[in-house]
Amino acid sequence: MMAPLPAASFDRRTTPARSDIAAEFLRGQVAAARFVSGERQVVAIPSTPLWREPRQDLSIDTECLFGETVTVYETSDEGWCWGQLETDGYVGFLSAAALAPADTVPSHRVCALRTFVYPQPSIKAPYQSLLSMGCLVTVKRVLGDFAELASGGFIWVHHITVRHDYALDFVTVAETFLNAPYLWGGRTSLGLDCSALVQVSLAATGRAAARDSDMMERQLGIPLDLADGWPRLRRGDLIFWKGHVGIMQDETTLLHANGYHMRVESESLQAATDRIRAAGAGSVTAVKRL
């Protein structure tokens, strides 16, 4: 039998293993000083960053959304949790103050681009918080046009849907983010990056996707042959570059969150490929059809 491999041999983004601690389910696969089962908790604020190290001066790896489950394997005296996000398996550090016990099962999810939580069922009340598309909530009861949440507050009932009631076209979902600000690591309507745009939009149609573009390129869809030039593209095809991904709206138009426009932009695929190549980022690495 082969000896367990060091944690550094695995993708740290999706493997809850370090040299000092690892998830119990990895026992026998990775070498670690101790193994723990972890505790399931939920994100209790609208969103919270997840970092690769317990340092807020670093760029964030991703964001965890309200209601999403995190399996926590370690909590430090400084208030850092190290755990794994259930949605896409991403591993990292986040604030313990952002989490709460997982004592309810979310019944609904936010299907609007963003929505407010009010202290009472009235649109005239001062709002308490703002939830973005994909956030998960537990509804206690419905009062007219409002749903009372188990976590407290009221939300416009037409901005949420039963958790497993899905949209039909992920591109239509993605188009609602047009002009949303670009944010490295972001996953909300207040700021998101290229792969988050794809991930959140696919999730709205019931399809899970990895978090980062290189993971998506390996895991999603069927590759189209680029040997003889561009294939005939269609709505929903994914275009990949090294470190970037965009969505085709039609045969010639690309929708993508990008750092050039600093927003979600709809533009000619040719214009985007020419600009990306001129910037030294290379050519398209793959076209995937879902």
Side-chain angles (χ1 to χ4, degrees):
M1 181 176 179
M2 293 181 61
L5 297 173
S9 303
F10 296 84
D11 190 334
R12 61 100 191 154
R13 297 173 295 177
T14 54
T15 309
R18 308 186 325 232
S19 60
D20 60 330
I21 187 173
E24 179 63 40
F25 71 84
L26 292 173
R27 186 184 292 272
Q29 301 177 53
V30 303
R34 61 190 177 101
F35 293 85
V36 296
S37 297
E39 177 187 2
R40 296 178 78 251
Q41 299 189 39
V42 295
V43 178
I45 60 176
S47 66
T48 188
L50 184 146
W51 289 269
R52 69 171 60 191
E53 297 178 26
R55 289 175 48 194
Q56 294 187 8
D57 61 324
L58 297 177
S59 61
I60 68 173
D61 272 1
T62 188
E63 280 186 303
C64 308
L65 306 183
F66 184 91
E68 289 187 319
T69 299
V70 178
T71 300
V72 175
Y73 296 104
E74 180 186 58
T75 301
S76 72
D77 293 339
E78 292 76 25
W80 287 100
C81 286
W82 179 70
Q84 184 170 34
L85 181 62
E86 186 175 280
T87 300
D88 52 28
Y90 224 103
V91 175
F93 292 87
L94 65 164
S95 171
L99 301 176
D103 51 10
T104 62
V105 177
S107 59
H108 292 69
R109 59 182 173 80
V110 175
C111 58
L113 188 63
R114 64 183 74 94
T115 190
F116 294 108
V117 178
Y118 299 93
Q120 58 195 57
S122 170
I123 61 173
K124 295 182 179 180
Y127 73 90
Q128 294 176 324
S129 61
L130 185 152
L131 301 181
S132 287
M133 182 182 292
C135 288
L136 302 175
V137 298
T138 301
V139 173
K140 288 177 59 177
R141 57 178 176 161
V142 175
L143 300 172
D145 287 327
F146 282 88
E148 183 179 5
L149 304 182
S151 56
F154 297 82
I155 197 169
W156 185 247
V157 74
H158 307 291
H159 284 176
I160 59 175
T161 187
V162 175
R163 186 174 178 180
H164 299 300
D165 183 12
Y166 296 117
L168 297 177
D169 178 20
F170 89 96
V171 185
T172 299
V173 177
E175 287 168 340
T176 66
F177 285 90
L178 187 64
N179 293 320
Y182 177 85
L183 176 66
W184 179 275
R187 285 181 66 222
T188 78
S189 61
L190 299 181
L192 75 173
D193 60 24
C194 64
S195 52
L197 177 65
V198 176
Q199 185 194 50
V200 171
S201 301
L202 283 173
T205 66
R207 181 158 187 169
R211 176 62 179 92
D212 293 341
S213 61
D214 63 315
M215 300 174 183
M216 289 181 177
E217 185 173 348
R218 291 193 299 269
Q219 299 172 12
L220 289 178
I222 300 170
L224 302 185
D225 188 4
L226 297 176
D228 298 320
W230 285 106
R232 187 175 180 83
L233 299 174
R234 67 188 188 197
R235 183 176 176 87
D237 287 344
L238 299 179
I239 313 297
F240 290 92
W241 292 261
K242 184 178 181 180
H244 190 57
V245 61
I247 305 165
M248 295 305 298
Q249 293 177 270
D250 54 40
E251 189 176 347
T252 62
T253 310
L254 182 75
L255 183 73
H256 60 148
N258 67 91
Y260 177 80
H261 296 98
M262 287 302 292
R263 62 178 181 263
V264 176
E265 180 73 11
S266 175
E267 63 175 326
S268 146
L269 174 62
Q270 189 63 57
T273 54
D274 289 348
R275 184 181 64 250
I276 291 170
R277 186 181 301 109
S283 301
V284 168
T285 55
V287 177
K288 305 295 285 290
R289 180 157 293 167
L290 303 180

